[in-house]
Structures are given as structure tokens and as C-alpha cells.
Amino acid sequence: MRKDIHPPYAPVVFRDKAAGFAFLTRSTATSARTVEWADGRTYPVVDVEVSSASHPFYTGTARVLDTAGRVERFERRFGGRGRGNGR
């Protein structure tokens, strides 16, 4: 690997303010804001809008989409327009 071309890879806290969830990991992301972590050290903090604590897929609150119903509704609405004309 070439030297001096990669950004610094250091510990960073990612905080999901909506869920009140934060985790410490290593990243190249940086921030001017800092937070004191449970180990007593101060780390840069990056606020995110969605994390595994607030995303509907991970929390189990995701809605199941009725794709068959959508196709049927599309067929009812637009019928068989454009069929048989090579498009």
C-alpha cells in the first residue's frame, strides 16, 4: 500500500439521536464534536439519522409490502395497454 494517501483510521462514536443509541467503532469519518465514552476517553462523535436501533427492518416494525396487490391494482388501472404492439 502506498503511504500518505489514506485518511486516518481511528476510533469514532456514531450516535443515533432519535433512538438514544451510540456505538464506538473505527472509521475514517471525523467530526469537530466530541463525546466522553464509558471508558473515560474522549472520541469524535458523528450523529446519524438511522442506525440498527431505529431502522424499521432491524426493529421489527417494517411493513410488509403487498407486491401482488400492487401488480393487480396496476393491471386494473391500466389494463392491457400496449400489449401486442412490440413494446
Side-chain angles (χ1 to χ4, degrees):
M1 228 178 351
R2 290 181 16 200
K3 292 184 178 197
D4 301 327
I5 64 167
H6 300 285
Y9 185 67
V12 177
V13 173
F14 285 92
R15 179 174 55 192
D16 182 349
K17 294 183 102 174
F21 176 71
F23 59 94
L24 177 66
T25 187
R26 293 178 56 87
S27 176
T28 58
T30 60
S31 175
R33 293 185 306 256
T34 59
V35 67
E36 187 172 330
W37 195 244
D39 63 3
R41 294 182 181 175
T42 302
Y43 297 104
V45 62
V46 175
D47 291 323
V48 295
E49 294 181 20
V50 178
S51 72
S52 60
S54 62
H55 193 280
F57 178 79
Y58 294 105
T59 60
T61 59
R63 296 182 321 190
V64 176
L65 296 177
D66 180 17
T67 55
R70 286 182 168 192
V71 171
E72 290 169 1
R73 192 172 12 179
F74 179 83
E75 290 293 332
R76 272 196 317 267
R77 187 170 181 188
F78 296 106
R81 291 187 207 175
R83 289 189 179 170
N85 61 1
R87 291 185 193 177

